[in-house]
Amino acid sequence: MKMFFSLHCEINKSKTIRFKMKKKKSNLCYILISINLIGCWNKYRTRSSTGKPEVSKSIRYQTNMAETPALIWEHEVCSLLKYGELIPRLETALGKFSNRDSAEVIQPVRTTVPLQKHSGFLGVMPCYMENEGILCTKLVCFYKRPTGSTLPSTQATVMLLDPEYGNVKAIMDGDVITGMRTAAVSAISAKLLMCPDAEILTILGTGKQALSHYNVFTEVFSFKEVRVWSRSKDKAEAFAQSLGHHVTACESVEEAVRGADVIVTVTRSTVPVLSGQWVKPGAHVAAVGACRPDWRELDDTLMKQAVVYVDSREAAVTESGDIILSGAEVFAEMGEVINGTKPAHREKTTVFKSLGLGVEDAASAQLVFDKWKSKAM
Ligand SMILES: NC(=O)C1=CN([C@@H]2O[C@H](COP(=O)(O)OP(=O)(O)OC[C@H]3O[C@@H](n4cnc5c(N)ncnc54)[C@H](O)[C@@H]3O)[C@@H](O)[C@H]2O)C=CC1
Ligand SMILES: O=C(O)C1=NCCCC1
C-alpha cells in the first residue's frame, strides 16, 4: 500500500511525468484508486464493526471518499440553538458581510426560481466564509398561500459543506434556523435602533415568525406591553392566549400600532398593511415579510418618513417591494451600524427591511454543527 501511495503522489505532483507517462498513468491510477478503495473499505468495515462508521481524513484524502453527512433534525436544532449564543454570532456575521471582503464573506443575492403552479418560489442561498472555513447553502421554498390554507408558507433545509473536499458535512432542518435567525436579526435591529426607553411592542401577524419574534423580543428586552394583530380577531386572541395573559389581541392594525415603540411586521401580505400615519415618530419597525419585488407590507408614507436600514443593499434593490416601489432611499446596512461606519438614528422613525441572508444561515448552521459535534463526542 505504502509503495503505491508514494507513487501516486509523485504522479500527481509532477506535470512532466504525467505528460510523459500519460497512458501508463491512467492505468496506474486506476489500479491505485482501486487498491486505495479496498484499503479504505477494509478500514471502514473495521470501524463499522466497532460501531463507529467513519472514514479517517487521511483515507478520504487518498480516495475522495466522504464521511457520511450528519443529519440534524428539527428537534435537535431546536435544543441546540439558543438566542444568547446566536445573537453575537449573527452580529459578527452581519458586520463581516458589510465589509465586502471576499475572504470574509462571499454571498450573492439569493437565486429565486418561481414555482408558478404552486404560487411559490425556491430560494437558493449559498455563502462561503473563507477565513472561518464555512461553506453553506440553504434551500428554501416560500409560498403565497390562500387564506385558510393549512400548508406551510416556508420550508427550508440547510447544508454545510467542507470547502476543501467539497463533501456535505451536515444536512439540517432549516425551519428552526430560519425562524430563529430572522427573529434574532430583527432583535439586533431593535437593540441598535429603538428608543432606549421602549415600552410597547406590536407584532402584526400570528404565524411562525410572529412566535419566534415574540420569543426573542421578550427574552432580550423588557416591554411593558405586547400587542398582537391578525386579520381574524379569533386568531389574534388564540395567539395572544397561547403566549400569556400579558399579551393583548387588537382588532385593527391602527389600534395595535398607535403609540407602539417597536413594530414587527411578519405577515404574508402582498399589499401594505402598515401605514406611516399610525406610526409614532421615533418608533422602530422591523419589516420581515414582503420579500418579493412586487410585494408590500409598508405604505409609501412610512417608507418616505423613515430612515431605512436593510440587511443587504443589493438584496433590497432586487427583492424588496417596499423599497423598490416606494422609491425610498436605503440609508445603511445593519452590518455598517454594527461596524460603526454608519450611525444608528434611534431618535428618528426607523425601518429595518429584512430579506434574510445566506450569511445568517451559514453562521447559524455552523453554531448548530459545532454544538452537535461537541454533544456527540
Ligand atoms: N426576512 C426574512 O428573513 C424572512 C421572511 N419571511 C417572510 O415572513 C413572512 C411570515 O412568515 P411566516 O411567519 O413563516 O408565515 P406564516 O404563514 O406562518 O404566518 C403568516 C401570517 O401572516 C398572516 N397573513 C397572511 N396573509 C395576510 C394578509 N394578506 N394580510 C395580513 N396578514 C396576512 C397569516 O394569517 C399569518 O398570521 C412571510 O412573508 C415570509 O415569506 C420568512 C422567513 C424569513
Ligand atoms: O431568508 C429566508 O429564509 C427567507 N426569506 C424570505 C422568504 C422566505 C425565506
Side-chain angles (χ1 to χ4, degrees):
M1 264 307 272
K2 257 187 192 159
M3 187 189 74
F4 277 118
F5 178 65
S6 59
L7 205 53
H8 181 108
C9 285
E10 251 177 54
I11 290 164
N12 275 344
K13 274 181 193 161
S14 162
K15 287 207 167 93
T16 333
I17 293 176
R18 252 192 192 182
F19 180 71
K20 281 185 183 160
M21 297 175 67
K22 203 172 177 199
K23 187 150 195 314
K24 242 186 164 179
K25 186 210 125 188
S26 53
N27 290 340
L28 193 58
C29 277
Y30 178 74
I31 297 163
L32 285 167
I33 288 167
S34 318
I35 289 173
N36 272 343
L37 281 171
I38 292 166
C40 180
W41 176 242
N42 283 339
K43 278 216 173 180
Y44 179 83
R45 275 200 316 185
T46 319
R47 282 170 180 242
S48 291
S49 64
T50 63
K52 226 173 177 238
E54 268 196 10
V55 179
S56 75
K57 210 152 189 173
S58 64
I59 296 290
R60 281 209 293 143
Y61 180 73
Q62 294 166 41
T63 61
N64 285 334
M65 234 177 120
E67 284 174 25
T68 313
L71 275 180
I72 311 179
W73 303 105
E74 183 171 348
H75 69 277
E76 291 178 281
V77 178
C78 220
S79 73
L80 294 169
L81 216 44
K82 302 284 170 233
Y83 285 117
E85 291 168 315
L86 182 60
I87 288 173
R89 295 250 189 154
L90 289 171
E91 284 169 334
T92 306
L94 290 170
K96 286 181 176 177
F97 173 76
S98 291
N99 278 335
R100 298 293 190 279
D101 173 353
S102 60
E104 292 277 25
V105 179
I106 298 178
Q107 190 243 258
V109 175
R110 83 184 124 225
T111 298
T112 309
V113 177
L115 311 173
Q116 205 153 358
K117 183 175 171 188
H118 304 288
S119 307
F121 299 88
L122 163 67
V124 183
M125 303 175 67
C127 175
Y128 180 37
M129 303 176 84
E130 185 176 273
N131 290 344
E132 294 192 49
I134 304 175
L135 179 61
C136 181
T137 191
K138 182 165 89 174
L139 300 176
V140 57
C141 287
F142 56 103
Y143 303 85
K144 221 187 202 184
R145 299 288 190 206
T147 312
S149 168
T150 51
L151 297 177
S153 61
T154 305
Q155 289 236 59
T157 305
V158 178
M159 244 182 267
L160 262 185
L161 296 99
D162 185 320
E164 189 180 358
Y165 297 93
N167 60 291
V168 177
K169 293 194 296 188
I171 301 170
M172 58 187 84
D173 163 77
D175 290 346
V176 174
I177 288 180
T178 303
M180 290 183 72
R181 65 77 152 135
T182 308
V185 169
S186 298
I188 293 168
S189 82
K191 195 167 85 171
L192 295 166
L193 297 172
M194 73 184 191
C195 60
D197 52 358
E199 292 186 343
I200 304 173
L201 167 70
T202 294
I203 301 176
L204 304 180
T206 54
K208 277 195 209 169
Q209 289 289 341
L211 180 58
S212 56
H213 278 73
Y214 171 82
N215 287 339
V216 70
F217 274 74
T218 52
E219 183 176 319
V220 173
F221 310 110
S222 335
F223 290 102
K224 289 203 176 131
E225 193 183 337
V226 181
R227 304 173 186 165
V228 296
W229 168 87
S230 171
R231 283 175 305 173
S232 123
K233 180 81 197 285
D234 288 352
K235 258 194 178 175
E237 267 167 2
F239 184 60
Q241 270 175 23
S242 73
L243 302 175
H245 293 298
H246 58 291
V247 180
T248 315
C250 298
E251 202 125 6
S252 69
V253 176
E254 182 176 353
E255 179 194 334
V257 303
R258 283 263 186 219
D261 300 293
V262 177
I263 303 165
V264 174
T265 62
V266 275
T267 73
R268 275 194 328 257
S269 184
T270 54
V271 293
V273 286
L274 178 60
S275 170
Q277 61 181 338
W278 306 322
V279 175
K280 170 172 145 180
H284 174 61
V285 178
V288 172
C291 299
R292 294 292 302 153
D294 55 346
W295 293 2
R296 303 286 302 259
E297 271 192 316
L298 317 180
D299 76 352
D300 284 357
T301 310
L302 176 55
M303 290 308 290
K304 290 202 171 128
Q305 75 195 17
V307 182
V308 177
Y309 295 80
V310 295
D311 42 16
S312 152
R313 287 177 189 274
E314 292 85 352
V317 297
T318 312
E319 296 188 322
S320 168
D322 286 329
I323 288 170
I324 298 165
L325 301 175
S326 69
E329 198 186 309
V330 172
F331 175 72
E333 285 183 350
M334 227 52 255
E336 293 176 305
V337 180
I338 290 166
N339 293 339
T341 55
K342 285 279 181 174
H345 285 297
R346 280 183 188 278
E347 73 293 356
K348 296 192 176 157
T349 305
T350 49
V351 163
F352 166 57
K353 178 59 219 150
S354 158
L355 290 155
L357 302 182
V359 72
E360 299 164 3
D361 299 311
S364 310
Q366 187 63 44
L367 175 59
V368 169
F369 190 56
D370 290 345
K371 298 195 76 182
W372 179 87
K373 272 193 308 191
S374 67
K375 252 189 142 182
M377 276 176 184

Coordinates of all heavy atoms in Angstrom, one line a residue, residues 115-148:
L115 N -42.2 28.9 -8.7 CA -42.9 27.6 -8.8 C -44.3 28.0 -9.1 O -45.2 28.0 -8.3 CB -42.8 26.9 -7.4 CG -41.4 26.7 -6.8 CD1 -41.6 26.2 -5.4 CD2 -40.5 25.9 -7.7
Q116 N -44.5 28.5 -10.3 CA -45.7 29.1 -10.8 C -47.0 28.3 -10.4 O -48.0 28.9 -9.9 CB -45.7 29.4 -12.3 CG -46.6 30.6 -12.6 CD -46.1 31.3 -13.9 OE1 -45.1 30.9 -14.5 NE2 -46.8 32.3 -14.3
K117 N -46.9 27.0 -10.7 CA -48.1 26.2 -10.5 C -48.6 26.2 -9.0 O -49.7 26.0 -8.7 CB -47.7 24.8 -10.9 CG -48.9 23.8 -10.8 CD -48.5 22.4 -11.4 CE -49.5 21.4 -11.1 NZ -49.0 20.1 -11.5
H118 N -47.6 26.4 -8.1 CA -47.9 26.4 -6.7 C -47.9 27.7 -6.0 O -47.8 27.8 -4.8 CB -47.0 25.4 -6.0 CG -47.0 24.0 -6.6 ND1 -48.1 23.2 -6.5 CD2 -46.1 23.4 -7.5 CE1 -47.8 22.1 -7.2 NE2 -46.6 22.2 -7.8
S119 N -47.8 28.8 -6.8 CA -47.7 30.2 -6.3 C -46.6 30.3 -5.3 O -46.8 30.8 -4.2 CB -49.0 30.6 -5.6 OG -50.1 30.4 -6.5
G120 N -45.4 29.8 -5.6 CA -44.3 29.8 -4.7 C -43.0 30.1 -5.4 O -42.9 30.4 -6.6
F121 N -41.9 30.0 -4.6 CA -40.6 30.2 -5.1 C -39.6 29.3 -4.4 O -39.8 29.0 -3.2 CB -40.1 31.7 -4.8 CG -41.0 32.7 -5.4 CD1 -42.2 33.1 -4.8 CD2 -40.7 33.2 -6.7 CE1 -43.0 34.1 -5.4 CE2 -41.6 34.1 -7.3 CZ -42.7 34.5 -6.7
L122 N -38.6 28.9 -5.1 CA -37.5 28.2 -4.4 C -36.3 29.2 -4.4 O -35.9 29.7 -5.4 CB -37.0 27.0 -5.3 CG -35.6 26.4 -4.9 CD1 -35.6 25.8 -3.5 CD2 -35.2 25.3 -5.9
G123 N -35.9 29.4 -3.2 CA -34.7 30.3 -3.0 C -33.5 29.5 -2.7 O -33.5 28.6 -1.8
V124 N -32.4 29.8 -3.4 CA -31.1 29.1 -3.2 C -30.2 30.1 -2.6 O -29.9 31.2 -3.2 CB -30.6 28.5 -4.5 CG1 -29.3 27.7 -4.2 CG2 -31.6 27.6 -5.2
M125 N -29.7 29.8 -1.4 CA -28.9 30.8 -0.6 C -27.5 30.4 -0.2 O -27.3 29.9 0.9 CB -29.8 31.2 0.6 CG -31.2 31.7 0.2 SD -32.2 32.1 1.6 CE -31.4 33.5 2.4
P126 N -26.6 30.4 -1.1 CA -25.2 30.0 -0.8 C -24.4 31.0 -0.1 O -24.7 32.2 -0.2 CB -24.6 29.7 -2.2 CG -25.3 30.5 -3.1 CD -26.7 30.9 -2.5
C127 N -23.4 30.6 0.7 CA -22.5 31.5 1.4 C -21.2 30.8 1.7 O -21.2 29.7 2.1 CB -23.1 32.0 2.7 SG -22.0 33.0 3.6
Y128 N -20.1 31.5 1.4 CA -18.7 31.0 1.7 C -18.0 32.0 2.6 O -17.9 33.2 2.3 CB -17.9 30.7 0.4 CG -16.5 30.2 0.7 CD1 -16.3 29.3 1.7 CD2 -15.5 30.6 -0.1 CE1 -15.0 28.8 1.9 CE2 -14.2 30.1 0.0 CZ -14.0 29.2 1.1 OH -12.7 28.7 1.3
M129 N -17.5 31.5 3.8 CA -16.8 32.4 4.7 C -15.4 31.7 4.8 O -15.1 30.8 5.6 CB -17.4 32.4 6.1 CG -18.9 33.0 5.9 SD -19.8 33.0 7.5 CE -19.2 34.5 8.2
E130 N -14.5 32.2 3.9 CA -13.2 31.6 3.7 C -12.4 31.5 5.0 O -11.8 30.5 5.4 CB -12.4 32.3 2.6 CG -11.1 31.6 2.3 CD -10.4 32.3 1.1 OE1 -10.7 31.9 0.0 OE2 -9.6 33.2 1.3
N131 N -12.3 32.7 5.7 CA -11.4 32.8 6.9 C -11.9 31.8 8.0 O -11.2 31.3 8.8 CB -11.4 34.2 7.4 CG -10.6 35.1 6.5 OD1 -9.8 34.6 5.6 ND2 -10.7 36.4 6.6
E132 N -13.2 31.6 8.0 CA -13.8 30.7 9.0 C -14.0 29.3 8.5 O -14.4 28.4 9.3 CB -15.1 31.3 9.5 CG -15.0 32.6 10.2 CD -16.3 33.0 10.9 OE1 -16.8 32.2 11.7 OE2 -16.7 34.1 10.8
G133 N -13.7 29.1 7.3 CA -13.9 27.7 6.7 C -15.3 27.2 6.7 O -15.6 26.0 6.8
I134 N -16.2 28.2 6.5 CA -17.7 27.8 6.4 C -18.2 27.9 5.0 O -18.1 28.9 4.4 CB -18.5 28.7 7.4 CG1 -18.0 28.7 8.8 CG2 -20.0 28.3 7.3 CD1 -18.7 29.7 9.7
L135 N -18.7 26.8 4.5 CA -19.4 26.7 3.2 C -20.8 26.2 3.4 O -20.9 25.1 4.0 CB -18.6 25.9 2.2 CG -19.2 25.7 0.8 CD1 -19.3 27.1 0.1 CD2 -18.3 24.8 0.0
C136 N -21.8 26.9 3.0 CA -23.1 26.6 3.4 C -24.1 27.0 2.3 O -23.9 27.9 1.5 CB -23.5 27.4 4.7 SG -25.1 27.1 5.3
T137 N -25.2 26.2 2.2 CA -26.3 26.7 1.4 C -27.6 26.3 2.0 O -27.7 25.3 2.6 CB -26.2 26.3 -0.1 OG1 -27.1 27.0 -0.9 CG2 -26.4 24.8 -0.3
K138 N -28.6 27.2 1.8 CA -29.9 26.9 2.3 C -30.8 26.8 1.0 O -30.6 27.5 0.1 CB -30.5 28.0 3.2 CG -31.9 27.7 3.7 CD -32.3 28.5 4.9 CE -32.9 29.8 4.5 NZ -33.4 30.6 5.7
L139 N -31.7 25.9 1.1 CA -32.8 25.8 0.1 C -34.1 26.1 0.8 O -34.4 25.4 1.8 CB -32.9 24.3 -0.5 CG -31.6 23.8 -1.2 CD1 -31.8 22.4 -1.6 CD2 -31.3 24.6 -2.4
V140 N -34.7 27.1 0.3 CA -36.0 27.5 1.0 C -37.1 27.7 0.0 O -36.9 28.4 -1.0 CB -35.8 28.7 1.9 CG1 -35.3 29.9 1.1 CG2 -37.0 29.1 2.7
C141 N -38.2 27.0 0.2 CA -39.4 27.3 -0.6 C -40.4 28.1 0.2 O -40.6 27.9 1.3 CB -40.1 25.9 -0.9 SG -39.2 24.9 -2.1
F142 N -40.9 29.2 -0.5 CA -41.9 30.0 0.2 C -43.0 30.3 -0.8 O -42.8 30.4 -2.0 CB -41.2 31.3 0.8 CG -40.5 32.2 -0.2 CD1 -41.1 33.3 -0.6 CD2 -39.2 31.9 -0.6 CE1 -40.4 34.2 -1.5 CE2 -38.5 32.7 -1.4 CZ -39.1 33.9 -1.9
Y143 N -44.2 30.5 -0.2 CA -45.4 30.5 -1.0 C -46.4 31.6 -0.6 O -46.3 32.0 0.6 CB -46.2 29.1 -0.8 CG -45.4 27.9 -1.1 CD1 -44.5 27.3 -0.1 CD2 -45.5 27.3 -2.3 CE1 -43.8 26.2 -0.4 CE2 -44.7 26.2 -2.7 CZ -43.9 25.7 -1.7 OH -43.1 24.5 -2.0
K144 N -47.2 32.0 -1.5 CA -48.3 32.9 -1.3 C -49.5 32.0 -1.1 O -50.1 31.6 -2.0 CB -48.5 33.6 -2.7 CG -48.7 35.0 -2.7 CD -49.1 35.3 -4.2 CE -48.9 36.7 -4.6 NZ -49.3 36.9 -6.0
R145 N -49.8 31.6 0.2 CA -50.9 30.7 0.4 C -52.2 31.4 0.5 O -52.3 32.5 1.0 CB -50.6 29.9 1.7 CG -49.4 29.1 1.8 CD -49.4 27.9 1.0 NE -48.3 27.0 1.2 CZ -47.9 26.1 0.3 NH1 -48.4 26.0 -0.9 NH2 -46.9 25.3 0.6
P146 N -53.3 30.8 -0.1 CA -54.6 31.4 0.0 C -55.1 31.4 1.5 O -54.6 30.6 2.3 CB -55.5 30.6 -0.8 CG -54.8 29.3 -1.0 CD -53.3 29.5 -0.8
T147 N -55.9 32.4 1.8 CA -56.5 32.5 3.2 C -57.1 31.1 3.6 O -57.8 30.5 2.8 CB -57.6 33.5 3.2 OG1 -57.1 34.7 2.6 CG2 -58.0 33.8 4.7
G148 N -56.8 30.7 4.8 CA -57.3 29.4 5.3 C -56.5 28.2 5.0 O -56.7 27.1 5.5

